[in-house]
Amino acid sequence: MHLKSDDARWGSMAKFFHWAVVILLLVQATIGLVMVQLPKRPNVIPWFNFHKSLGLTILLLALLRLLWRAFDRHPLPPLAMPRWQVLGARAGHVLLYGLLFAVPLTGWLFDSASSLRPLFWWDLVKMPNLTGGPDADLKPIAQAAHLWLFLALAAVAAGHAAAALVHHFVQRDDVLRRMLPGRRSLSTPNQESSP
Ligand code: HEM
Ligand code: HEM
């Protein structure tokens, strides 16, 4: 098991963080979009609590992932990849990381500004209130920001996934394979795709 990444492939820690966050985001987005449509009755509260705890878990995973990344290597882009694409991919990844923090933080901010109930992470840890109490001015701003930043995350992630598929099926390089679970990447830094 290669925990750390090298020049040719992602290590299992980076893969774990990537795919765990993708799966949890899909669950989280579905719950978020459905729960706000439900009639406001007491039986929806557990869904809101679940959404908040799962959202804070995604925030924690994003933090741990960035920490791990700081000490990990980063596979090289394919040799044949033009510079604008390398820069575009990097900008996309920076944006994805930014949104991965901004979406849960605005959810937390909205919850704090509403101050309906104390916020608990899985009934275990009492989380601080970011606004120190109800804040009627901030509440609608945080609520709208949570939705719009989520939509931005969904759009950038869709473009990112499409780019991964283009790498695999059109450019036929190792970019997707080296992020998939298992040791599928057999070639050295994408020699196949070099001219
Ligand atoms: C990456 C993590 C998260 C994602 C992807 C996410 C996604 C969403 C989505 C799609 C909605 C529906 C928005 C709408 O239709 O107005 C929503 C609503 C909501 N989220 Fe999140 N959320 C995340 C994290 C959090 C966190 C950490 C909290 C609080 C601690 C939170 C609190 C809420 C609340 C209270 C609502 C209901 C807003 C309303 O009543 O209009 N979310 N979330
Ligand atoms: C919500 C969904 C997603 C998010 C937030 C996300 C986020 C990210 C981020 C931040 C990176 C950069 C990793 C780093 O440099 O530390 C990355 C890399 C990558 N992602 Fe995603 N991703 C998502 C979905 C997907 C999907 C669905 C696919 C495949 C179809 C995919 C394929 C890849 C690949 C192949 C890489 C490695 C790129 C390279 O080697 O430079 N991602 N992802």
Side-chain angles (χ1 to χ4, degrees), residues 24-25 28-37 40 48 51-59 99-100 103-111 114 119 143 146-147 150-151 153:
L24 294 182
L25 273 179
Q28 175 72 347
T30 310
I31 293 174
L33 292 170
V34 171
M35 76 185 189
V36 293
Q37 307 295 329
K40 293 266 177 289
F48 276 72
H51 178 85
K52 293 173 196 176
S53 288
L54 188 58
L56 292 171
T57 307
I58 294 172
L59 181 61
L99 290 166
L100 224 40
V103 173
L105 282 175
T106 48
W108 187 357
L109 201 61
F110 170 63
D111 183 74
S114 315
L119 176 63
Q143 188 179 23
H146 191 52
L147 172 63
F150 161 74
L151 293 174
L153 172 62

Side-chain angles (χ1 to χ4, degrees), residues 9 15 174 176-178 180-187:
R9 59 174 69 91
K15 289 179 183 180
D174 254 359
L176 176 58
R177 230 177 337 228
R178 69 187 186 181
L180 293 177
R183 301 196 66 206
R184 287 159 206 257
S185 169
L186 297 174
S187 57

Side-chain angles (χ1 to χ4, degrees), residues 45-92:
I45 294 176
W47 286 105
F48 276 72
N49 288 342
F50 186 85
H51 178 85
K52 293 173 196 176
S53 288
L54 188 58
L56 292 171
T57 307
I58 294 172
L59 181 61
L60 181 67
L61 278 174
L63 200 67
L64 293 176
R65 181 176 176 186
L66 265 194
L67 269 178
W68 174 262
R69 191 186 195 282
F71 298 100
D72 199 17
R73 289 184 73 87
H74 193 262
L76 297 171
L79 289 171
M81 206 163 142
R83 198 172 146 71
W84 69 268
Q85 270 182 26
V86 175
L87 293 178
R90 203 172 298 159

Side-chain angles (χ1 to χ4, degrees), residues 10 18-19 25 65 69 74 93 96-97 160 175 178:
W10 293 96
H18 182 272
W19 294 109
L25 273 179
R65 181 176 176 186
R69 191 186 195 282
H74 193 262
H93 295 164
L96 282 170
Y97 275 122
H160 165 79
V175 168
R178 69 187 186 181

